[in-house]
Amino acid sequence: MAMRKKLGEILVELGSLNQAQIDEALKELAEQKLSDDRLGDMLVAKGIVTAQQVTEALGLQFMLPVVNVGDYLTNISALNSLPRALMERLGAFPLELQDNGGALVVAISDPLDLVAQDMVRAATTLDVHFALATEQSIFSALAATGAGASLNLAMAQPPAKKPDLDPQNAGAAKLAVPVSSAPAAATTTDSPVAQSGGPNKSIASSIRDIMKAQPKLGDILVQAGAITETQLMDALSQQKRLGRRLGDILVSNGIITEIRLAEALANQLGLPMFTLTRYRPMTEAIRLIPRNVSERLQLIPLSIVEGDSLLIAMANPLDLLAQDEVRILTGRDIKVGITTATEIQDNLERLYNLQDNLEEAIVEVYGDLEIPQDDLAEASADDAPIIQLVGNILNQAVRERASDIHVEPFEKTARVRYRVDGALYTAFDYPAGLHPAVSARMKIMANMDIAERRKPQDGRILIKLVGRRVDLRVSSLPTLNGEKMVLRILDQASTAVGLERLGLENDDLEKLEVFCGMPWGIMLVTGPTGSGKSTTLYSILQKINQ
């Protein structure tokens, strides 16, 4: 029986940290005589990874869906299913009812806390499935629903389980995991996934069996409060007339978002959901499936898991023909996760073009991929692959709405990191021998002195990326392994958002509008990097210009 992949290995594959950081944390755990299960807590406490990154890795490890608890705050029927005191004591939050009210999905933060899971099951007559969320988000949701709840959740009795009259749907309350797409570890008896359906849980043998055993997508969305019964009936009517999938109709009509649809599918099928934006390119996986195939089948290869299986993220996890084609093409077992079509489209270029540019740059400049790293020192900034590589780095940063790009050289590799929403994450690594050419290309674009490598320099790039003008402030700093480059992105299209959309209090907004009408005076806007100074000033100028 295959062993479940360790949390540290998954975090390294996801690019959340490197192997050296994992080894150091494990050594510290050993010194403190703590279990490896505390690894995630230690990494979060040290600030190496975020709680959300650990939760996403746990979702991949246990093949449990990762959800945003804030999307389920209005599901009163689900909130009434568990005693309030128990939810607060265990750190659990009921998300939604499934199977016509016969099954309950509950968010937890620790998939290894089997005692808490058993206590949740004992507190309700419903079949319980589990999803993952951060501990902070769960307690925030409990606080939000506890302060203004109109019902006494602690005294509420759970609804009686409805009988299932259709023998074909007798397994609807069980959490099904496809044999072809779920890791073998997820089917072991000590796994929370295996236990979530109770002792009589039966695993479906195919996607078709899963669809027979699972509640309807429309019912899930209605029970979650995402759509109304009327909207569901209208969408079903369009489905019969147009022959399209129900989810596509709801998204195209603007009733739900792609993300909400993906979350519903993840809950329906018991498959993990992936956010691809912060996924590092998995070289071995990407090489298995050509880009044109990924684009045609609407899927992204993520990584090699469980020894020899290929993990892919699909917009339509029920596309059996696509899965069969990938299985035949790669000769590997397939494990399936869920993402959105927009995520796939936005990340195809990053995952494929950057990898292609790296390989072309190495071949173009050095001719032989096996040349030692120490000999890769003659790369030229004029080589076309280097130009393409730098261009793709800049384009991807603008697509992801990054505020900064950090290009850092190390002894054997160089690393590209983006700052998105205030947090730095690793985009990809490339050979250290290419870094002189990459840094030289950036300095040429910024009108900096490429011959000077021992002094800090500053420059500026005005360029059109992703169809809009972008201002880049470039800084270089000499380090032991080469020049570190930092590019500050000032996207003129994203800065002029308007005073009304800055999130200011009404009295502060009124004061600013008065100041904008004054013919004289001075205004100071202060704050740390990325706090919104430029956005505020651009919005004020936009107001004055009107």
Side-chain angles (χ1 to χ4, degrees):
M1 183 174 293
M3 296 294 291
R4 182 184 298 120
K5 207 157 196 176
K6 294 183 178 179
L7 177 65
E9 296 176 5
I10 296 175
L11 287 169
V12 171
E13 287 184 355
L14 295 177
S16 302
L17 71 176
N18 56 46
Q19 188 61 48
Q21 292 171 312
I22 287 290
D23 294 339
E24 182 180 350
L26 290 174
K27 181 179 178 181
E28 188 170 342
L29 286 175
E31 292 173 352
Q32 298 179 13
K33 297 182 179 180
L34 298 175
S35 169
D36 288 355
D37 297 340
R38 299 291 303 278
L39 176 63
D41 296 336
M42 173 173 285
L43 293 173
V44 172
K46 289 179 173 292
I48 299 175
V49 297
T50 65
Q52 182 64 32
Q53 288 173 314
V54 172
T55 302
E56 291 175 355
L58 287 172
L60 181 58
Q61 184 183 26
F62 290 97
M63 294 302 287
L64 288 175
V66 177
V67 298
N68 180 10
V69 182
D71 293 338
Y72 300 87
L73 299 182
T74 59
N75 295 346
I76 301 300
S77 58
L79 289 171
N80 285 330
S81 301
L82 292 177
R84 178 77 187 184
L86 180 67
M87 291 189 287
E88 293 178 346
R89 181 155 57 94
L90 300 180
F93 189 88
L95 300 174
E96 63 183 9
L97 294 172
Q98 295 182 353
D99 189 24
N100 296 322
L104 175 67
V105 181
V106 178
I108 56 175
S109 60
D110 184 3
L112 291 172
D113 192 349
L114 302 182
V115 175
Q117 295 174 34
D118 289 340
M119 293 178 69
V120 170
R121 293 192 187 94
T124 177
T125 58
L126 306 176
D127 287 324
V128 180
H129 307 331
F130 290 101
L132 294 183
T134 63
E135 186 178 36
Q136 180 180 358
S137 67
I138 290 175
F139 281 103
S140 296
L142 288 171
T145 54
S150 59
L151 299 176
N152 186 350
L153 299 180
M155 300 297 296
Q157 296 297 324
K161 181 177 177 180
K162 297 182 180 180
D164 194 338
L165 302 179
D166 185 359
Q168 201 175 34
N169 292 328
K174 313 300 183 189
L175 181 62
V177 180
V179 167
S180 61
S181 60
T187 64
T188 58
T189 56
D190 62 349
S191 167
V193 178
Q195 294 187 4
S196 62
N200 296 323
K201 172 177 170 54
S202 60
I203 306 255
S205 61
S206 69
I207 291 288
R208 295 184 183 90
D209 293 334
I210 290 176
M211 290 311 297
K212 292 178 182 178
Q214 290 300 312
K216 301 293 185 181
L217 177 64
D219 294 338
I220 291 177
L221 291 170
V222 170
Q223 292 171 8
I227 63 175
T228 65
E229 290 280 0
T230 302
Q231 290 172 327
L232 175 59
M233 297 305 296
D234 290 342
L236 290 173
S237 176
Q238 293 182 46
Q239 183 184 32
K240 291 180 180 179
R241 187 173 68 254
L242 302 176
R244 297 171 58 194
R245 292 189 298 158
L246 176 64
D248 292 341
I249 293 174
L250 292 171
V251 171
S252 62
N253 289 344
I255 298 174
I256 61 173
T257 64
E258 281 188 299
I259 295 177
R260 190 65 188 87
L261 172 61
E263 288 176 347
L265 285 171
N267 283 330
Q268 182 189 30
L269 301 177
L271 297 176
M273 179 176 169
F274 295 100
T275 301
L276 301 179
T277 300
R278 300 188 179 186
Y279 238 94
R280 294 178 63 185
M282 306 291 177
T283 306
E284 298 81 0
I286 291 172
R287 286 174 177 169
L288 291 174
I289 304 179
R291 172 173 177 167
N292 63 325
V293 176
S294 290
E295 194 165 7
R296 175 169 54 84
L297 300 180
Q298 284 293 284
L299 57 85
I300 290 283
L302 299 179
S303 60
I304 307 298
V305 296
E306 303 295 334
D308 198 41
S309 298
L310 177 64
L311 176 64
I312 61 175
M314 302 182 68
N316 178 15
L318 301 176
D319 190 344
L320 299 177
L321 294 178
Q323 294 179 31
D324 288 341
E325 183 173 341
V326 172
R327 191 176 292 108
I328 294 172
L329 177 66
T330 62
R332 297 173 181 262
D333 289 334
I334 302 299
K335 302 184 187 302
V336 179
I338 298 176
T339 189
T340 66
T342 301
E343 280 273 298
I344 292 175
Q345 194 60 40
D346 290 346
N347 287 275
L348 273 172
E349 183 168 352
R350 176 174 68 90
L351 294 174
Y352 279 94
N353 282 16
L354 285 177
Q355 185 62 39
D356 293 342
N357 293 153
L358 281 175
E359 294 177 356
E360 290 173 5
I362 295 173
V363 172
E364 179 79 14
V365 178
Y366 316 114
D368 187 355
L369 293 175
E370 301 301 325
I371 292 180
Q373 295 288 338
D374 294 340
D375 296 336
L376 306 184
E378 301 300 329
S380 169
D382 293 328
D383 290 323
I386 296 293
I387 295 174
Q388 294 175 6
L389 176 60
V390 173
N392 280 325
I393 291 174
L394 302 182
N395 272 285
Q396 188 61 33
V398 173
R399 283 194 183 92
E400 297 183 17
R401 298 188 177 277
S403 60
D404 302 271
I405 306 172
H406 290 249
V407 185
E408 304 162 310
F410 297 96
E411 183 178 355
K412 295 184 178 180
T413 62
R415 178 166 299 161
V416 177
R417 296 196 294 168
Y418 297 145
R419 186 182 299 279
V420 180
D421 296 331
L424 273 174
Y425 79 93
T426 301
F428 68 98
D429 296 339
Y430 60 86
L434 291 179
H435 183 68
V438 172
S439 60
R441 173 60 185 168
M442 293 180 174
K443 291 168 72 174
I444 289 173
M445 296 175 69
N447 292 320
M448 298 161 63
D449 185 1
I450 62 173
E452 180 56 72
R453 299 182 181 180
R454 295 176 294 177
K455 294 181 180 179
Q457 295 187 63
D458 291 303
R460 182 181 183 185
I461 302 174
L462 287 173
I463 191 172
K464 189 172 184 179
L465 296 170
V466 197
R468 55 182 185 264
R469 292 184 60 192
V470 177
D471 187 357
L472 300 166
R473 308 293 171 84
V474 185
S475 298
S476 67
L477 181 69
T479 68
L480 181 64
N481 297 304
E483 289 183 287
K484 177 180 177 179
M485 308 295 297
V486 177
L487 294 83
R488 173 74 172 164
I489 303 175
L490 300 176
D491 188 349
Q492 299 177 12
S494 63
T495 50
V497 299
L499 287 175
E500 300 80 8
R501 298 176 60 191
L502 292 180
L504 298 172
E505 296 291 341
N506 289 333
D507 55 342
D508 293 331
L509 181 59
E510 291 175 2
K511 292 176 184 177
L512 270 181
E513 290 177 343
V514 171
F515 294 154
C516 290
M518 290 183 176
W520 48 265
I522 187 171
M523 183 186 301
L524 296 179
V525 180
T526 63
T529 300
S531 62
K533 300 184 296 296
S534 297
T535 302
T536 302
L537 290 173
Y538 272 112
S539 299
I540 292 174
L541 289 173
Q542 186 183 45
K543 180 71 174 179
I544 295 173
N545 192 39
Q546 294 174 354

